[in-house]
């Protein structure tokens, strides 16, 4: 059985992909070990590594992502380059690309021109037609401390009183309005270029649904403008004096969201699932093109409520993922992931491995 890691950051680890390549069973070793170890470790004896999707978090990652993808492909593994800005690091990107220190500035310049990070991302996706958009998303629980200088009291001897010189407060790593704006822009980019998208969401499900609404409206407006331009061009080519005007043809149903939507390390409650599927359906993305992953490295994988959520999603929309930077534990986490799904769904491990592999194929290689 083949195990595909749909979401990882092994390009950020201390040794890149090397620890994973060293730990996975080689084909010859796997065959020889099947009878010897099948009884005590069926997953290890019959499984093989199929490949991975390497997720960037920041533009500085792009070259490293390309390097890991190249190394995997050299060894005949399937590999997917993924480019995007993670909400944890968005404030770094905006502060770097903005000429103003005002954090409320959006990702467009005053003249309406897109900022460099968005232009670069679009060009990279165009240059890599096999790439997807990820990791992007919204996070309402990622905090950072900021320091505020308080007026220190000067003592008679000239020294400053050490009490209350600094105050610290917690703020979101990036303000939610900026997170939403950047997320929507990357979502639209994925929709326009017809690329799958890997989405990170933590305590921001309402904001996510609002952003989906915004993206759908923007795509509808885009298609409307295109249709009006096409109609104007047709009328210009026709001699209306001799040619009867053609009846308006109802436009075909077009995607208003990315063609494949993947909620990685899903942390939502069971009650949010119908809303997510309905939002995707409004964007003309059918249920079979909406995917969910649960990473063993994330605590909610072991929550008592997780098996019922997995059952509610169903095997045909579930994929394996590790979400790891250090690839030393990637192989063991892939096995742990498939075993966890099998236990939750009351299925055979091999059946789960086979179906999740084909789900990954639909997600990344069948657009």
């Amino acid at each position: 059985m083949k195990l595909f890691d749909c979401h990882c950051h092994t390009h950020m680890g201390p040794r890149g992909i090397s620890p994973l390549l060293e730990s996975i069973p080689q084909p010859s070793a796997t065959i020889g070990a099947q009878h010897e170890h099948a009884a005590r470790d069926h997953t290890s004896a019959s499984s093989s590594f199929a490949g991975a999707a390497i997720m960037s978090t920041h533009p500085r990652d792009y070259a490293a992502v390309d390097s890991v993808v190249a190394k995997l492909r050299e060894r005949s593994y399937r590999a997917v380059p993924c480019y995007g800005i993670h909400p944890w690091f968005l404030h770094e990107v905006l502060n770097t690309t903005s000429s103003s220190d005002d954090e409320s500035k959006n990702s467009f310049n005053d003249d309406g021109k897109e900022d460099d990070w968005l232009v670069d991302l679009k060009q990279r996706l165009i240059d890599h037609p096999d790439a997807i958009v990820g990791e992007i998303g919204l996070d309402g629980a990622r905090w950072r401390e900021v320091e505020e200088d308080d007026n220190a009291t000067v003592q008679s001897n000239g020294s400053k009183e050490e009490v209350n010189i600094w105050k610290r407060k917690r703020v979101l790593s990036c303000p939610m309005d900026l997170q939403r704006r950047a997320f929507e822009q990357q979502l639209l980019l994925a929709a326009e270029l017809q690329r799958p998208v890997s989405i990170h969401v933590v305590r921001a499900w309402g904001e996510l649904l609002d952003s989906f609404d915004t993206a759908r409206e923007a795509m509808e407006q885009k298609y409307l403008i295109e249709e009006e331009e096409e109609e104007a061009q047709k009328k210009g080519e026709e001699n209306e004096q001799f040619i009867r005007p053609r009846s308006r043809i109802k436009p075909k149903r077009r995607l208003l969201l990315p063609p494949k939507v993947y909620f990685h390390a899903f942390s939502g409650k069971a009650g949010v699932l119908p809303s997510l599927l309905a939002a995707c359906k409004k964007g003309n993305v059918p249920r079979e093109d909406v995917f969910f992953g649960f990473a063993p490295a994330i605590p909610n994988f072991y929550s008592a409520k997780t098996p019922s959520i997995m059952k509610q999603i169903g095997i045909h929309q579930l994929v394996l993922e590790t979400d790891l930077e250090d690839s030393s534990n990637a192989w063991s986490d892939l096995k742990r992931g498939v075993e966890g799904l099998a236990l939750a769904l009351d299925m055979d491990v091999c059946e789960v491995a086979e179906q999740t592999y084909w789900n990954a194929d639909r997600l990344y290689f069948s657009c």
Side-chain angles (χ1 to χ4, degrees):
M1 59 186 185
K2 295 181 285 189
L3 308 184
F4 187 93
D5 189 348
C6 282
H7 189 108
C8 68
H9 305 281
T10 51
H11 63 289
M12 300 170 70
R15 293 179 55 210
I17 200 72
S18 297
L20 171 61
L21 298 177
E22 293 166 2
S23 63
I24 59 178
Q26 300 303 311
S28 58
T30 302
I31 294 172
Q34 282 181 352
H35 297 293
E36 181 180 352
H37 301 294
R40 63 182 177 85
D41 191 356
H42 177 69
T43 307
S44 294
S46 59
S47 57
S48 63
F49 177 67
I54 313 300
M55 297 281 163
S56 67
T57 62
H58 190 287
R60 62 177 170 242
D61 294 354
Y62 295 164
V65 166
D66 292 344
S67 176
V68 170
V69 167
K71 288 179 181 178
L72 288 172
R73 289 176 175 175
E74 285 172 2
R75 292 163 176 79
S76 299
Y77 296 116
R78 305 180 87 178
V80 182
C82 312
Y83 308 122
I85 313 297
H86 193 290
W88 289 5
F89 307 104
L90 182 60
H91 69 283
E92 296 179 10
V93 176
L94 296 184
N95 287 343
T96 299
T97 59
S98 174
S99 60
S100 170
D101 292 332
D102 182 5
E103 285 197 350
S104 67
K105 181 177 180 179
N106 62 28
S107 61
F108 283 87
N109 296 317
D110 293 337
D111 60 0
K113 182 180 178 182
E114 293 177 345
D115 267 353
D116 290 344
W117 71 266
L118 191 58
V119 174
D120 291 345
L121 175 58
K122 182 175 183 178
Q123 189 58 53
R124 181 164 283 270
L125 290 167
I126 291 172
D127 293 341
H128 296 78
D130 57 343
I132 74 134
V133 177
E135 177 180 359
I136 66 174
L138 302 171
D139 198 306
R142 180 69 171 184
W143 305 95
R144 61 188 172 102
E145 285 189 341
V146 295
E147 296 177 340
E148 290 186 333
D149 195 2
D150 191 20
N151 292 327
T153 302
V154 180
Q155 304 295 326
S156 58
N157 61 4
S159 64
K160 292 184 178 180
E161 187 179 358
E162 295 299 325
V163 180
N164 292 329
I165 291 180
W166 295 98
K167 283 186 177 179
R168 294 178 181 271
K169 69 174 182 178
R170 287 201 320 165
V171 298
L172 281 178
S173 180
C174 183
M176 185 54 70
D177 61 330
L178 294 187
Q179 287 193 48
R180 276 196 57 186
R181 191 173 293 115
F183 173 62
E184 290 161 12
Q185 290 167 338
Q186 294 177 95
L187 200 64
L188 285 170
L189 196 54
E192 291 170 1
L193 298 179
Q194 295 291 282
R195 306 296 177 88
V197 62
S198 180
I199 300 177
H200 163 113
V201 188
V202 176
R203 298 183 186 177
W205 296 103
E207 291 85 351
L208 174 101
L209 294 173
D210 290 341
S211 287
F212 272 25
D213 286 341
T214 300
R216 286 196 304 266
E217 291 170 4
M219 289 300 293
E220 287 176 342
Q221 184 65 24
K222 175 179 179 292
Y223 290 140
L224 179 60
I225 292 173
E226 289 178 353
E227 289 174 7
E228 289 176 348
E229 291 176 348
E230 290 175 5
E231 188 68 21
Q233 184 178 1
K234 290 175 183 177
K235 287 182 178 179
E237 294 173 353
E238 292 177 349
N239 186 336
E240 295 182 347
Q241 185 176 358
F242 299 102
I243 301 178
R244 179 181 298 176
R246 291 177 292 211
S247 60
R248 183 175 177 82
I249 299 175
K250 187 176 180 180
K252 62 181 180 180
R253 229 169 70 155
R254 301 189 188 183
L255 283 171
L256 304 177
L257 289 172
K260 308 291 176 70
V261 179
Y262 167 29
F263 296 101
H264 114 85
F266 184 67
S267 62
K269 297 179 180 179
V272 80
L273 282 171
S275 297
L276 293 179
L277 294 173
C280 290
K281 185 177 180 180
K282 288 180 182 177
N284 296 330
V285 180
R287 180 189 176 101
E288 58 265 26
D289 290 333
V290 183
F291 301 85
F292 299 83
F294 295 83
I298 307 298
N300 74 299
F301 182 84
Y302 306 96
S303 168
K305 298 179 180 180
T306 297
S308 64
I309 295 175
M310 291 175 173
K311 287 181 181 178
Q312 186 175 346
I313 293 169
I315 185 59
H316 295 287
Q317 271 65 59
L318 288 165
V319 295
L320 300 179
E321 64 169 76
T322 65
D323 198 25
L324 291 175
E325 295 180 10
D326 188 343
S327 65
S328 300
N329 297 319
W331 181 239
S332 60
D333 270 22
L334 277 174
K335 293 187 292 181
R336 190 175 293 113
V338 74
E339 290 165 356
L341 286 178
L343 185 63
L345 301 175
D346 193 22
M347 293 178 63
D348 179 77
V349 169
C350 290
E351 290 180 299
V352 171
E354 181 177 7
Q355 187 59 58
T356 54
Y357 173 78
W358 289 115
N359 292 347
D361 182 83
R362 286 192 294 118
L363 170 58
Y364 289 135
F365 302 101
S366 303
C367 291

